């Protein structure tokens, strides 16, 4: 059995869905379970509906509901010929549009949107796309079965960022999905959405469909997890910044995790973790170019010569500069600092310490004021916002003493605010001003990837 996940652009219109069906068809002997995202842009529209409703912009909310409705009706018209399923799907779309209107109305009466209603609204994107895709497969004579992910993806009730309860997900998905797979059905289900133990709809974080697929792939011991997207695989940098970004043919689990964690949108940050547990290979492939092999992510890449694999960046970073008021770092100073971070559940993405101070890079500023207040009881604290972390990832950075020098000499004109090398030693990260991101990533890419001869057996690793 394999798990295949198709992202928003891979289900964006009827042509994309036809390509998806062809791709799934070519994998039928390997018994696929298919996870789909909402059609590109729909989750954003749904979240806007929630915000418009809460701020009294009823007309804008209704316009978006109408747009979502007609987009999906068009999909049905273009993909489904038979009258009965066509009417059934249109009826469902109409019911969902009414439910969205009712939710929008309720939110506008309250004047605020709760996490619970935001997740319920966000779930309609995946629910709509998946039911149409499952039916379109039937039309093309594929034996498929629609399954609502909320029946097996059981999570806690931390809305918008719900955490799957693995034991229950394992038990339910084994009971529900495996018999269908054994009976030769292509299971079509949704990424991103789940349900609390009380049956309330949840979502597992933006871009979370990758994670849904890898969780189930791992729990059901899939042979392979395939992430189908709109680029040729994991690239040496974000292609929207670096035009000449190259495809990485192979990378290790650690490299891919680190890259995803530091902002490469192509994979949700947690995607790789479940695959590591069972050593399941993950392929990232282009649904617009399915004959291409994509990127294979496995246990180790076996190539000791290639130093850097890819460059990622994370924007909207704030630096907190914390100086010990006693002019030296007392043994328990860092402990005191981090206990404040722990109290407010704020993740430190990078840390640098000197004799008298510590600088911490954070992304989540929800509790910034409380963090500063608590820390100021024992240290001076100041903040600088508008920063970005840039991160160069590669298994062999640890074996290559010259690489850090090369990285920083490439950045002549860029002001570097802070440097940190990950404990895993497979990344080098540093903080720059957000406005310098484009220039920084382009210069680094030029230094590390433009010259094919500069990194050992380059052609085995990159296109
Ligand atoms: P999907 O809807 O298929 O999940 P996403 O938009 O979430 O697709 O992720 C794919 C996008 O990630 C690409 O279109 C690309 O712009 C962006 N991206 C950022 N960094 C990288 C990278 N290093 N390699 C590949 N794509 C990247
Ligand atoms: N549709 C969701 C989002 O846009 C989940 C996903 O596509 O992975 O965040
Ligand atoms: Mg994605």
């Amino acid at each position: 059995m394999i798990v295949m996940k198709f992202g928003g652009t891979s289900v964006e219109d009827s042509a994309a869905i036809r390509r998806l069906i062809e791709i799934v068809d070519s994998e039928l002997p390997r018994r696929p379970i298919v996870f789909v995202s909402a059609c590109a842009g729909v989750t954003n529209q749904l979240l806007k509906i929630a915000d418009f409703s809460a701020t009294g912009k009823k007309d804008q909310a209704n316009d978006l509901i109408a747009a979502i409705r007609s987009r999906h009706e068009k999909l049905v018209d273009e993909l489904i010929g038979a009258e009965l399923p066509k009417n059934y799907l249109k009826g469902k779309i109409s019911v969902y549009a009414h439910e969205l209107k009712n939710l929008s109305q309720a939110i506008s009466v309250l004047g605020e949107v709760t996490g619970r209603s935001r997740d319920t609204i966000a779930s309609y994107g995946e629910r709509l796309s998946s039911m149409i895709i499952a039916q379109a497969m039937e039309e093309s004579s594929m034996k498929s079965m629609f399954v609502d992910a909320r029946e097996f993806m059981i999570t806690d009730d931390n809305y918008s960022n719900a955490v799957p309860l693995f034991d229950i997900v394992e038990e339910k998905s084994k009971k529900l999905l495996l018999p269908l797979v054994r009976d030769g059905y292509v299971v079509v289900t949704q990424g991103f959405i789940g349900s609390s133990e009380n049956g309330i709809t949840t979502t597992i974080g933006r871009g979370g469909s990758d994670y849904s697929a890898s969780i189930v792939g791992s729990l059901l011991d899939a042979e392979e997890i395939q992430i189908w997207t709109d680029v040729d695989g994991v690239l040496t940098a974000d292609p929207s910044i670096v035009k000449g970004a190259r495809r990485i043919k192979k990378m290790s689990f650690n490299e891919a995790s680190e890259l995803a964690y530091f902002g490469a949108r192509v994979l949700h940050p947690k995607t790789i973790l479940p695959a590591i547990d069972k050593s399941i290979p993950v392929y990232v492939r282009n649904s617009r170019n399915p004959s291409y092999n994509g990127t294979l992510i496995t246990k180790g890449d076996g190539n000791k010569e290639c130093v850097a694999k890819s460059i990622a960046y994370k924007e909207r970073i704030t630096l907190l500069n914390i100086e010990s008021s006693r002019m030296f770092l007392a043994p328990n100073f860092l402990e005191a600092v981090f206990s404040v971070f722990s109290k407010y559940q704020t993740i430190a993405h990078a840390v640098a310490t000197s004799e008298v101070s510590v600088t911490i890079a954070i992304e989540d500023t929800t509790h910034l004021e409380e963090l500063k207040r608590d820390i100021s009881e024992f240290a001076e604290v100041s903040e600088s916002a508008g920063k970005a972390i840039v991160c160069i990832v590669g298994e062999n950075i640890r074996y290559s003493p010259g690489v850090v020098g090369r990285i920083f000499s490439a950045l002549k004109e860029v002001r570097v605010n802070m440097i940190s090398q990950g404990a895993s030693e497979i990344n080098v990260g540093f903080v720059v001003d957000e406005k310098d991101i484009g220039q920084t990533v382009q210069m680094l890419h030029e230094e590390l990837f433009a010259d094919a001869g500069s990194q050992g057996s380059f052609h085995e690793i990159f296109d």
Side-chain angles (χ1 to χ4, degrees):
M1 186 268 291
I2 61 170
V3 168
M4 307 174 82
K5 175 261 168 174
F6 292 84
T9 44
S10 304
V11 298
E12 67 185 347
D13 54 21
S14 53
I17 293 175
R18 286 204 182 91
R19 282 196 299 271
L20 173 156
I21 294 174
E22 264 180 48
I23 294 169
V24 173
D25 191 56
S26 69
E27 293 284 24
L28 284 184
R30 299 172 81 197
R31 296 184 293 162
I33 295 181
V34 177
F35 281 80
V36 299
S37 289
C39 301
V42 169
T43 308
N44 286 344
Q45 288 179 318
L46 288 163
L47 293 173
K48 269 196 190 150
I49 291 171
D51 291 335
F52 282 148
S53 312
T55 49
K57 296 178 183 140
K58 265 167 120 178
D59 291 346
Q60 277 119 308
N62 283 337
D63 287 350
L64 283 178
I65 295 172
I68 291 173
R69 177 178 183 156
S70 63
R71 180 169 176 184
H72 289 88
E73 282 174 346
K74 183 163 180 268
L75 281 181
V76 172
D77 283 332
E78 291 174 359
L79 290 165
I80 313 294
E83 266 328 290
L84 214 62
K86 196 177 201 133
N87 292 339
Y88 168 78
L89 287 174
K90 289 216 174 157
K92 272 280 201 194
I93 294 171
S94 165
V95 169
Y96 285 176
H98 280 106
E99 288 175 7
L100 280 170
K101 271 200 175 149
N102 290 341
L103 281 161
S104 163
Q105 174 67 22
I107 292 169
S108 69
V109 169
L110 290 172
E112 69 168 342
V113 53
T114 59
R116 173 173 166 169
S117 42
R118 186 182 286 276
D119 275 12
T120 300
I121 289 183
S123 73
Y124 282 91
E126 271 71 10
R127 288 160 62 196
L128 281 160
S129 63
S130 57
M131 79 179 182
I132 296 171
I133 291 165
Q135 191 56 50
M137 285 180 174
E138 286 279 325
E139 280 260 319
S140 69
S141 316
M142 195 180 277
K143 198 174 155 191
S144 73
M145 184 65 77
F146 171 87
V147 175
D148 191 320
R150 292 171 297 176
E151 290 181 38
F152 62 85
M153 187 56 72
I154 308 301
T155 69
D156 67 10
D157 58 5
N158 182 19
Y159 298 110
S160 301
N161 238 326
V163 178
L165 306 172
F166 287 83
D167 289 347
I168 309 180
V169 179
E170 177 167 9
E171 185 205 317
K172 298 224 180 235
S173 52
K174 279 187 172 155
K175 220 185 248 166
L176 191 63
L177 305 182
L178 284 184
L180 292 170
V181 172
R182 271 189 223 110
D183 288 347
Y185 287 97
V186 173
V187 171
V188 179
T189 188
Q190 310 83 29
F192 181 55
I193 72 172
S195 161
S196 70
E197 285 184 277
N198 298 328
I200 310 297
T201 300
T202 56
T203 64
I204 62 170
R206 293 303 308 269
S209 293
D210 302 334
Y211 190 35
S212 303
S214 72
I215 290 171
V216 170
S218 166
L219 294 176
L220 299 186
D221 292 306
E223 264 170 61
E224 190 173 296
I225 297 162
Q226 301 178 355
I227 307 290
W228 291 87
T229 183
D230 62 349
V231 283
D232 279 335
V234 182
L235 308 177
T236 47
D238 181 346
S240 62
I241 290 200
V242 179
K243 294 289 164 252
R246 294 162 176 238
R247 174 180 65 117
I248 304 164
K249 294 180 188 169
K250 290 187 289 183
M251 64 196 309
S252 69
F253 284 134
N254 288 340
E255 288 170 333
S257 297
E258 208 81 353
L259 204 61
Y261 180 74
F262 278 102
R265 195 182 62 200
V266 63
L267 289 173
H268 179 274
K270 294 184 195 153
T271 312
I272 299 300
L273 301 177
I276 295 178
D277 280 349
K278 301 261 179 83
S279 247
I280 300 173
V282 178
Y283 279 90
V284 179
R285 298 182 64 176
N286 190 347
S287 65
R288 292 174 181 158
N289 190 7
S291 57
Y292 218 64
N293 283 333
T295 298
L296 167 61
I297 303 166
T298 56
K299 211 166 175 183
D301 70 13
N303 187 306
K304 287 270 172 274
E305 288 172 61
C306 173
V307 177
K309 284 279 175 62
S310 190
I311 307 165
Y313 62 92
K314 222 186 230 305
E315 290 166 303
R316 289 179 287 282
I317 292 293
T318 297
L319 289 184
L320 281 182
N321 298 303
I322 302 161
E323 271 188 44
S324 164
S325 344
R326 296 182 197 97
M327 293 307 287
F328 64 93
L329 287 183
N332 54 357
F333 175 72
L334 288 178
E335 187 189 339
V337 169
F338 284 109
S339 69
V340 178
F341 276 74
S342 157
K343 178 172 168 193
Y344 295 109
Q345 292 288 292
T346 302
I347 296 170
H349 287 292
V351 180
T353 56
S354 76
E355 211 177 336
V356 294
S357 69
V358 50
T359 303
I360 299 180
I362 61 171
E363 186 181 22
D364 175 7
T365 51
T366 321
H367 299 289
L368 183 59
E369 289 314 312
E370 293 98 316
L371 281 167
K372 286 192 333 197
R373 187 197 56 214
D374 286 16
I375 292 170
S376 66
E377 284 173 17
F378 57 89
E380 302 279 323
V381 53
S382 63
E383 83 193 69
S384 28
K387 306 289 175 191
I389 299 182
V390 179
C391 179
I392 298 119
V393 172
E395 281 286 357
N396 300 314
I397 285 180
R398 71 181 103 184
Y399 305 118
S400 314
V403 73
V404 177
R406 262 178 78 195
I407 290 168
F408 290 107
S409 65
L411 294 176
K412 291 173 209 92
E413 290 129 48
V414 177
R415 196 173 96 80
V416 175
N417 294 251
M418 164 184 170
I419 301 172
S420 95
Q421 181 152 8
S424 61
E425 292 184 30
I426 73 158
N427 80 62
V428 178
F430 54 90
V431 174
V432 296
D433 293 343
E434 220 164 30
K435 67 175 173 41
D436 292 333
I437 271 293
Q439 193 194 5
T440 306
V441 177
Q442 281 155 14
M443 287 194 305
L444 277 175
H445 196 268
E446 181 68 23
E447 167 65 28
L448 297 170
F449 302 107
D451 172 11
S454 71
Q455 288 206 59
S457 44
F458 198 89
H459 293 292
E460 280 174 30
I461 305 290
F462 305 102
D463 269 339

